[in-house]
Amino acid sequence: MHKNIVREITPLTQNDCFTIFSRVKKEFNFPLHYHEEFELNLIINAKGAKRIVGDHIELIDDVELVLVGPNLSHAWFTAQCESTDIKEVTIQFHKDLFDEKFLRRNQLSFIRKLFDQSAKGILFSKETANAIAPRIVSLHQKSGFDSVMSLINILHDLSTSRNIRTLSEATFNNEFQFNFNSRRIEKAFEYMNKNYDKPITLGDIARLVNMTDVSFSRFIKKRTGITFIDSLNEIRLGHASRILIDTTNSIAEVSYSCGFNNISNFNRLFKKKKNCTPKEFRENFSGTRTFF
């Protein structure tokens, strides 16, 4: 099953709190995928579309709001939807945006429970979706601290809402859960995120965390589920996606600015990870994405 699911590399960087992506479209065409970030998805006017979250499959109503936890597979498909005016607003935020100790505070208990339940995917009631929708749609108009506080307020109100429904079976997501709880891994990823545009070798990172090359190679694979070079490439592709969205730089410029010295290799890796070429990614991008 894992081989049929795309691991999405979002353009959300470590310097961002969250991103909101709003667009109007005629169909759903993104494959079944998962990513490390939380995702809150508001979909309007898509009655009859098919939603897949984990092992749960269902046709949706004309308005729906779903929270998907980190590394939980999900997708929406056109299916029986006849609308050509589908509104979709997606908010993605880091799984460590809220510190674990912070979430243990009594005042955050509802949000902590919400995040725990999102491991199976959460469908909010239609009444809740309609009530929260205007705030989600207008969130991109906020800026700086106000935008983050608005997101927290939205999450809090969702966490205290009634008639929520979890979607997937509790055990389905286990194969996608990787343990990143390691200072060495954090240090390695912090370095790669800051220096993705420069040459980085396994030896560089191994020395940084005081391990041998072989030991660190095994260590990162065990902790993240992927190799060192795959981890580095995913970081670089995430930054490349961001640059493709934010600039009109040529594909070659984007490739070299993200640490890829071979444009053919960049195109191949990009297509493998995102199911499209960098050029197609830019051409097919429509809508407004804002980073906070």
Side-chain angles (χ1 to χ4, degrees):
M1 184 182 300
H2 188 282
K3 294 181 180 178
N4 298 324
I5 304 174
V6 175
R7 179 173 178 170
E8 182 189 1
I9 306 163
T10 72
L12 194 64
T13 73
Q14 289 301 313
N15 294 325
D16 302 313
C17 285
F18 69 96
T19 180
I20 181 167
F21 180 33
S22 178
R23 58 180 170 172
V24 176
K25 57 188 184 180
K26 297 180 179 180
E27 61 182 354
F28 294 95
N29 51 23
F30 201 78
L32 188 62
H33 64 286
Y34 67 102
H35 43 71
E36 294 179 6
E37 295 77 13
F38 283 95
E39 179 172 300
L40 182 63
N41 226 23
L42 171 67
I43 298 177
I44 301 171
N45 200 26
K47 185 179 179 65
K50 181 188 295 183
R51 177 203 335 108
I52 298 179
V53 174
D55 61 355
H56 186 273
I57 303 175
E58 184 176 47
L59 295 180
I60 73 173
D61 207 341
D62 57 337
V63 175
E64 80 158 15
L65 183 61
V66 172
L67 177 64
V68 179
N71 297 311
L72 177 62
S73 55
H74 59 282
W76 279 259
F77 299 96
T78 305
Q80 300 174 22
C81 177
E82 299 179 354
S83 172
T84 58
D85 188 33
I86 301 168
K87 173 78 172 180
E88 182 179 43
V89 183
T90 301
I91 299 173
Q92 294 176 332
F93 57 96
H94 294 292
K95 61 183 180 182
D96 61 354
L97 178 61
F98 302 96
D99 182 80
E100 186 177 344
K101 290 182 180 179
F102 181 56
L103 288 174
R104 289 196 194 119
R105 306 293 192 257
N106 290 335
Q107 293 81 359
L108 277 296
S109 62
F110 289 107
I111 292 182
R112 183 178 69 246
K113 182 179 180 182
L114 182 77
F115 288 172
D116 289 342
Q117 291 176 310
S118 74
K120 295 183 284 185
I122 298 173
L123 174 66
F124 299 96
S125 68
K126 189 173 182 179
E127 291 73 21
T128 296
N130 281 322
I132 297 292
R135 292 160 61 188
I136 293 176
V137 171
S138 63
L139 185 56
H140 73 279
Q141 299 173 3
K142 305 283 185 178
S143 63
F145 182 75
D146 288 342
S147 68
V148 179
M149 290 306 299
S150 295
L151 175 61
I152 294 175
N153 283 329
I154 288 172
L155 292 173
H156 177 265
D157 288 350
L158 289 176
S159 71
T160 59
S161 64
R162 298 182 178 181
N163 301 322
I164 67 171
R165 179 159 61 98
T166 54
L167 300 175
S168 182
E169 292 295 329
T171 57
F172 181 83
N173 194 33
N174 287 349
E175 65 177 295
F176 300 110
Q177 294 292 348
F178 305 129
N179 181 14
F180 291 96
N181 187 21
S182 164
R183 178 55 192 151
R184 283 174 167 166
I185 290 294
E186 290 176 3
K187 192 173 183 180
F189 274 76
E190 181 180 2
Y191 181 87
M192 288 189 284
N193 266 297
K194 287 183 178 179
N195 299 279
Y196 66 90
D197 56 334
K198 304 178 181 69
I200 301 175
T201 66
L202 174 64
D204 293 334
I205 305 299
R207 284 189 294 274
L208 180 71
V209 298
N210 296 316
M211 298 178 72
T212 66
D213 293 11
V214 173
S215 296
F216 180 72
S217 180
R218 292 172 179 167
F219 181 70
I220 193 171
K221 178 68 182 293
K222 182 178 180 180
R223 288 283 184 169
T224 68
I226 59 177
T227 65
F228 157 73
I229 193 63
D230 283 340
S231 298
L232 178 58
N233 283 336
E234 289 196 352
I235 288 172
R236 286 172 166 166
L237 290 172
H239 285 280
S241 301
R242 175 73 171 268
I243 296 172
L244 286 168
I245 292 171
D246 286 348
T247 74
T248 57
N249 294 354
S250 70
I251 304 301
E253 288 174 324
V254 173
S255 171
Y256 293 126
S257 69
C258 291
F260 293 99
N261 295 323
N262 185 312
I263 191 171
S264 297
N265 185 47
F266 171 64
N267 283 323
R268 180 182 62 80
L269 287 172
F270 196 98
K271 186 168 185 177
K272 179 181 179 181
K273 293 294 184 179
K274 288 188 171 291
N275 259 19
C276 65
T277 66
K279 182 180 179 182
E280 290 169 341
F281 177 82
R282 174 176 274 168
E283 289 176 347
N284 293 335
F285 182 86
S286 61
T288 303
R289 186 185 289 270
T290 308
F291 297 89
F292 297 94

